[in-house]
Amino acid sequence: NGKRVMMLYNELEFKGSIFGLTAFKNLKRTFTDLEVVLFGVPKRPDDLPEWIEYHQTPGRKLLRKLYNESAVFISPSLAEGFPLPPAEAMMCGSALACSDIGGHREYAIDDQTALLFEPKNSDAIINVLEKLLTDRELRIRLAYSGNEYIKQFTWDRAVNDFEKILTEN
């Protein structure tokens, strides 16, 4: 479903979930067929609209299924190191929309592997999601290129790079 969007929900302010939720609520007015899937550790927030699907601490198998069924993954974080959920979503074929921060920049290249938006800006999230929800060709291109790009980040490569650094000195 090209209108299915997924996001990690977290109550910590720096994860930016509030900005994603605000964008989803506004987008639902225009895109009545919008499907939103959230997952996270906390229990389902009491004020979460019924039309938003929520999975508390999903197992690996279910999480992989949710990633695979989502057309777009959004990560509105304000700070990250190397965030895994967006990378995992890319591996499963979701197009990525994420805040323009250092951690995302490890694998999110604007208009090549993802669409980036200004942090703390729900309107910027809405603009990016509108593009991905209406431009199937763009969404699929980003999903394919993101999937190919993220494959370079392997344990073997990380270990080899680390060993190389250790032997250089």
Side-chain angles (χ1 to χ4, degrees):
N1 179 354
K3 301 289 192 293
R4 188 170 174 90
V5 180
M6 186 174 176
M7 181 181 85
L8 168 66
Y9 172 79
N10 195 302
E11 294 170 342
L12 296 172
E13 192 175 322
F14 83 91
K15 289 294 192 177
S17 294
I18 189 70
F19 302 105
L21 290 172
T22 300
F24 296 146
K25 290 172 187 176
N26 287 322
L27 277 170
K28 186 68 172 175
R29 293 182 201 134
T30 305
F31 298 91
T32 56
D33 57 346
L34 177 69
E35 295 180 19
V36 176
V37 178
L38 303 181
F39 71 100
V41 174
K43 70 177 184 72
R44 181 187 177 93
D46 293 333
D47 60 344
L48 199 63
E50 281 186 33
W51 54 267
I52 295 180
E53 185 179 323
Y54 186 79
H55 298 271
Q56 183 180 13
T57 319
R60 288 181 188 174
K61 201 173 198 176
L62 175 57
L63 186 57
R64 187 177 320 121
K65 179 181 184 294
L66 296 172
Y67 284 140
N68 280 315
E69 292 175 347
S70 297
V72 177
F73 187 89
I74 175 177
S75 183
S77 291
L78 311 180
E80 292 285 353
F82 187 97
L84 291 178
E88 292 168 349
M90 290 170 80
M91 279 299 294
C92 290
S94 294
L96 178 61
C98 57
S99 50
D100 190 1
I101 59 169
H104 290 146
R105 284 276 185 174
E106 294 293 325
Y107 49 74
I109 304 165
D110 196 33
D111 201 37
Q112 290 181 38
T113 64
L115 290 184
L116 301 176
F117 52 81
E118 179 185 352
K120 295 185 179 182
N121 187 335
S122 294
D123 289 335
I125 296 171
I126 290 168
N127 290 336
V128 163
L129 287 178
E130 282 178 339
K131 286 180 189 175
L132 292 170
L133 295 173
T134 58
D135 189 340
R136 182 178 186 274
E137 193 173 295
L138 170 66
R139 187 180 69 251
I140 290 172
R141 177 178 61 81
L142 290 173
Y144 274 108
S145 62
N147 178 266
E148 281 302 311
Y149 191 80
I150 202 68
K151 288 177 184 177
Q152 71 177 297
F153 298 97
T154 65
W155 281 112
D156 286 341
R157 178 179 166 215
V159 169
N160 289 338
D161 288 351
F162 183 62
E163 287 176 343
K164 186 176 176 183
I165 290 169
L166 292 175
T167 59
E168 285 177 355
N169 292 330

